[in-house]
Amino acid sequence: MKIITISREFGSGGRELGKRLSDILGFDYYDKEILAEMAKNKGMDENYLGNMLDNHGWRNIPLMYHHSFAGMAMPFNQADIMLEQKNVIEEIAKAGKDCIIVGRNADVLLQEYEPFSIFVCADMEAKKKRCLERAPAGENHTPKEMERKIQQIDKNRARTREIITDSEWGAACSYNLTVNTSGWEIKELAPGVAEFAQRWFARTNK
Amino acid sequence: MKIITISREFGSGGRELGKRLSDILGFDYYDKEILAEMAKNKGMDENYLGNMLDNHGWRNIPLMYHHSFAGMAMPFNQADIMLEQKNVIEEIAKAGKDCIIVGRNADVLLQEYEPFSIFVCADMEAKKKRCLERAPAGENHTPKEMERKIQQIDKNRARTREIITDSEWGAACSYNLTVNTSGWEIKELAPGVAEFAQRWFARTNK
């Protein structure tokens, strides 16, 4: 089984790269699907869960939080949510199908499977441009606000990784390959990443 | 003209990757050749110059240093040496031939040519193993000593880069591609890097 994991700076095009790799290689693709599964298992609202993880980070989740869903008050805590995330990602791996997993530190959680781990980054200007162009209707950030949002989300991603591993978020040596998407289109670079990943899976030095 | 630059952690296999890319792509290869040219132009000893740059860093070079060579006392200073390095690297680019340049922050010095810039890293264990296996005859470091040597050389490389640019040494976003060589052989991954670089040169989004 071949697993590719993608960690990424917010706005760097990591998700688009993941989708394109999935198309090129014919691998299953997991991103929001993980959140949806977690939300279902825990009886939480998916959008709420995603927003909480992306925008606030683990450390800001109240230890016991009562979230009303379907008329019930339910308790959640950090460890509970992290464990559920781990379970969902391990279930994906156990299914045994070639796949691409975006985010959620899947590279760390699935170490034993020797995934090909990618980190995707870009210049701040490129990230701001990408985010402003693709902002959902109704979201109107100035470039300065967008920069702060990008920095905040990435800070939370780094902190989340810190909790489960000493493999530093965004550091070159934490991943097999780090791709800077500035200066070209994701569709131009994706086939090169796919070829490189295939070489990893075919390597003899295991 | 296509230029590939390689920055690397000491012991990560960056030089071997450069040589293999040169073989695969048929590009000229520059590494020690730069030192040799600098040494010739300045009337310095090549080994002395290389040792000084690798092991001591710019900040430790005395501002006016009198080095006896061929019976003459000659003055050198930091700015002088950095300027000479810049000149030699620019001469290589001006020659107009496809090439690979290892080290010396060529990616920064040749920005206007839009080189494909690579950073090569590896786990400390892999770097120590590589260095100990390839140590010159007569050099007998313990693994602990080798680790300190690796850290010291990389610290100097980072500082040298700091002097000429705000593009941080070893940071993901300072390069187009960062390759972690741990877990496979350079000969297994080099063709993938070559393919990826060719896509950069063929990109339409310039």
Side-chain angles (χ1 to χ4, degrees):
Chain A
M1 182 189 30
K2 302 166 185 172
I3 299 175
I4 295 177
T5 63
I6 297 185
S7 305
R8 75 287 185 217
E9 290 178 354
F10 187 74
S12 65
R15 183 176 295 170
E16 184 185 336
L17 177 60
K19 282 184 186 157
R20 289 189 180 275
L21 290 178
S22 161
D23 287 343
I24 295 166
L25 298 167
F27 287 17
D28 286 349
Y29 175 82
Y30 294 98
D31 175 12
K32 298 280 184 207
E33 294 76 6
I34 295 170
L35 273 186
E37 186 68 18
M38 286 172 66
K40 195 183 75 184
N41 294 350
K42 305 305 285 182
M44 289 176 84
D45 177 70
E46 180 184 338
N47 289 331
Y48 170 79
L49 181 64
N51 186 51
M52 184 169 72
L53 294 178
D54 277 350
N55 296 325
H56 302 289
W58 295 109
R59 291 184 182 173
N60 296 322
I61 301 174
L63 198 62
M64 288 301 268
Y65 181 83
H66 292 264
H67 178 62
S68 173
F69 181 76
M72 294 169 63
M74 284 176 289
F76 298 111
N77 63 45
Q78 290 184 32
D80 203 32
I81 289 173
M82 294 190 76
L83 195 63
E84 185 55 38
Q85 182 158 280
K86 187 170 180 291
N87 288 342
V88 169
I89 288 171
E90 283 174 352
E91 285 304 317
I92 292 169
K94 279 179 199 152
K97 292 179 70 186
D98 296 341
C99 63
I100 292 162
I101 305 177
V102 176
R104 320 276 155 221
N105 296 301
D107 57 324
V108 175
L109 297 172
L110 301 179
Q111 260 175 47
E112 64 186 297
Y113 295 90
E114 296 200 324
F116 183 73
S117 59
I118 304 171
F119 184 79
V120 186
C121 65
D123 300 340
M124 181 53 82
E125 286 311 308
K127 290 188 289 188
K128 277 196 287 191
K129 186 166 173 286
R130 190 177 182 89
C131 289
L132 290 168
E133 279 169 5
R134 290 157 196 248
E139 188 186 283
N140 287 305
H141 289 303
T142 65
K144 193 72 211 159
E145 286 167 350
M146 188 53 86
E147 185 167 338
R148 272 196 298 268
K149 181 180 169 180
I150 291 168
Q151 285 166 339
Q152 188 56 49
I153 290 178
D154 284 349
K155 203 169 156 187
N156 286 333
R157 287 178 177 171
R159 279 182 180 164
T160 304
R161 191 174 177 95
E162 239 176 51
I163 296 175
I164 59 167
T165 179
D166 57 1
S167 158
E168 191 190 343
W169 186 86
C173 239
S174 301
Y175 311 90
N176 292 117
L177 193 72
T178 301
V179 181
N180 182 344
T181 61
S182 306
W184 50 348
E185 304 287 345
I186 308 289
K187 65 171 182 277
E188 291 176 318
L189 64 85
V193 177
E195 285 157 4
F196 199 86
Q198 289 287 42
R199 289 183 185 279
W200 169 260
F201 296 118
R203 76 198 188 281
T204 54
N205 179 36
K206 293 183 196 187
Chain B
M1 181 189 32
K2 301 166 186 172
I3 300 176
I4 296 176
T5 63
I6 297 184
S7 304
R8 75 288 184 215
E9 290 178 355
F10 187 74
S12 65
R15 184 176 294 169
E16 184 187 336
L17 176 60
K19 282 184 185 156
R20 289 189 179 273
L21 290 178
S22 161
D23 288 342
I24 294 167
L25 298 168
F27 287 16
D28 286 350
Y29 175 82
Y30 294 98
D31 175 10
K32 298 277 184 208
E33 294 76 6
I34 296 170
L35 273 186
E37 185 68 18
M38 285 171 65
K40 195 183 75 184
N41 293 351
K42 306 303 286 183
M44 289 175 85
D45 178 70
E46 180 184 336
N47 289 332
Y48 170 80
L49 182 63
N51 186 49
M52 185 169 70
L53 294 178
D54 277 350
N55 296 325
H56 302 289
W58 294 109
R59 291 186 181 171
N60 296 323
I61 301 173
L63 198 61
M64 289 301 269
Y65 181 82
H66 293 262
H67 179 62
S68 173
F69 181 77
M72 295 168 62
M74 284 176 289
F76 298 111
N77 64 45
Q78 289 183 32
D80 204 34
I81 289 173
M82 294 190 76
L83 196 63
E84 186 56 37
Q85 183 158 279
K86 187 170 181 290
N87 288 341
V88 169
I89 288 171
E90 283 174 351
E91 285 302 319
I92 292 169
K94 279 180 197 151
K97 292 179 70 186
D98 296 340
C99 63
I100 291 161
I101 306 176
V102 176
R104 319 277 156 222
N105 296 302
D107 57 324
V108 175
L109 297 172
L110 300 179
Q111 259 175 48
E112 63 186 297
Y113 295 90
E114 296 199 324
F116 182 73
S117 59
I118 304 170
F119 184 78
V120 186
C121 65
D123 300 341
M124 180 53 83
E125 287 311 307
K127 290 188 288 188
K128 276 197 288 192
K129 186 165 175 286
R130 189 177 182 89
C131 289
L132 291 168
E133 278 170 5
R134 290 156 196 247
E139 187 187 283
N140 288 305
H141 290 302
T142 64
K144 193 72 210 162
E145 286 167 347
M146 188 53 85
E147 183 166 340
R148 272 197 296 268
K149 183 181 169 182
I150 290 168
Q151 285 167 337
Q152 188 56 50
I153 290 178
D154 284 350
K155 203 168 156 188
N156 287 333
R157 287 179 178 171
R159 280 182 179 164
T160 304
R161 190 173 179 96
E162 239 177 51
I163 296 174
I164 60 167
T165 179
D166 56 1
S167 157
E168 190 191 344
W169 186 86
C173 239
S174 301
Y175 312 90
N176 292 116
L177 193 73
T178 301
V179 181
N180 182 345
T181 61
S182 306
W184 50 347
E185 303 288 345
I186 309 289
K187 65 170 182 277
E188 292 176 315
L189 63 85
V193 178
E195 286 158 2
F196 199 86
Q198 290 288 41
R199 290 183 185 276
W200 169 259
F201 296 120
R203 77 198 187 282
T204 54
N205 180 35
K206 293 183 193 187

